[in-house]
Amino acid sequence: KAGVTQTPRYLIKTRGQQVTLSCSPISGHRSVSWYQQTPGQGLQFLFEYFSETQRNKGNFPGRFSGRQFSNSRSEMNVSTLELGDSALYLCASHRGSTNEKLFFGSGTQLSVL
Amino acid sequence: DQQVKQNSPSLSVQEGRISILNCDYTNSMFDYFLWYKKYPAEGPTFLISISSIKDKNEDGRFTVFLNKSAKHLSLHIVPSQPGDSAVYFCAASPYNQGGKLIFGQGTELSVKP
């Protein structure tokens, strides 16, 4: 069974640009969550999508958005990039119930110059 | 406000001995707890979890203990192996918010031969 797949693996952007990251969950998983990891703030929850609807949201500005497609694949978009958005962005999937472990992808390393 | 805390940034243990990693939380609405292992620039790998209705869960060399009254959990690794060297994250899930995990800051475990 294939794991969670994130593309691209690395990205370099400049301030003010926008970026779209992609995540394909494990087959059969209907929930996709996104996390940001930075050295200063650690691993922080961005948002969760379940059946194409945003089910949970973390404390990030509106520049961070996402969506989920009917095949459960998800994309995350960051507009008007800032230097502080440089981070490892991680996607995780699970079937969608409570008290389930989340399976993480390898992440997209975003550098904003 | 750090709802999940891992107060030890690092831990060094001799091969074959026990490793004990600790985690404290403040939110009594957390009802599911997980431990993940992580290498730099990779996604976290699930190790073991525990529901708030239990006080212990074992899986091979890994045991997690939960003390709800103290809002404290710990991960025991016995015996420790050099391959266990990584950063370990404690995570908690709020009630009925399956895709949302609140992570601690991590403890870097080094197992020396």
Side-chain angles (χ1 to χ4, degrees):
Chain A
K1 203 175 193 181
V4 178
T5 305
Q6 290 189 247
T7 56
R9 188 74 175 89
Y10 301 95
L11 263 180
I12 300 175
K13 293 286 187 178
T14 56
R15 276 182 303 174
Q17 287 187 311
Q18 73 157 11
V19 67
T20 299
L21 313 182
S22 180
C23 173
S24 293
I26 291 172
S27 177
H29 286 191
R30 296 169 63 194
S31 168
V32 173
S33 299
W34 289 89
Y35 291 81
Q36 180 198 65
Q37 185 184 24
T38 59
Q41 298 298 318
L43 275 155
Q44 292 189 292
F45 172 76
L46 280 154
F47 32 65
E48 179 198 10
Y49 284 86
F50 177 78
S51 292
E52 302 178 65
T53 302
Q54 187 179 86
R55 184 160 76 168
N56 271 308
K57 189 176 188 303
N59 296 323
F60 279 81
R63 299 186 297 106
F64 293 81
S65 63
R67 60 178 176 167
Q68 187 180 33
F69 303 96
S70 58
N71 62 357
S72 294
R73 191 178 72 83
S74 177
E75 288 182 346
M76 189 191 104
N77 185 276
V78 188
S79 62
T80 320
L81 283 166
E82 300 177 0
L83 296 179
D85 296 334
S86 294
L88 178 66
Y89 289 89
L90 293 158
C91 163
S93 78
H94 72 292
R95 285 172 295 174
S97 301
T98 57
N99 292 7
E100 281 185 56
K101 59 189 177 186
L102 272 60
F103 294 84
F104 283 83
S106 297
T108 294
Q109 185 68 54
L110 172 65
S111 297
V112 182
L113 307 178
Chain B
D1 179 31
Q2 193 81 26
Q3 296 186 67
V4 178
K5 295 182 184 179
Q6 293 176 256
N7 291 317
S8 299
S10 62
L11 175 67
S12 184
V13 170
Q14 209 62 32
E15 181 180 6
R17 306 294 290 267
I18 184 171
S19 294
I20 300 176
L21 296 95
N22 293 302
C23 178
D24 296 296
Y25 63 95
T26 58
N27 191 338
S28 57
M29 293 300 291
F30 291 148
D31 71 341
Y32 187 56
F33 302 89
L34 309 90
W35 284 93
Y36 282 87
K37 176 181 178 180
K38 189 179 184 302
Y39 296 107
E42 291 185 14
T45 301
F46 171 79
L47 281 174
I48 193 168
S49 62
I50 188 166
S51 165
S52 60
I53 62 173
K54 295 186 175 182
D55 55 17
K56 179 182 174 182
N57 188 27
E58 287 182 83
D59 185 1
R61 296 186 298 115
F62 302 93
T63 303
V64 56
F65 295 92
L66 175 62
N67 183 334
K68 282 184 64 179
S69 60
K71 292 191 175 65
H72 177 84
L73 64 156
S74 61
L75 174 68
H76 292 209
I77 306 173
V78 183
S80 301
Q81 300 172 353
D84 295 331
S85 297
V87 178
Y88 288 76
F89 287 92
C90 165
S93 179
Y95 173 74
N96 213 27
Q97 297 186 46
K100 178 178 180 178
L101 296 180
I102 309 299
F103 283 88
Q105 292 296 94
T107 296
E108 183 172 10
L109 174 65
S110 175
V111 181
K112 301 191 183 304

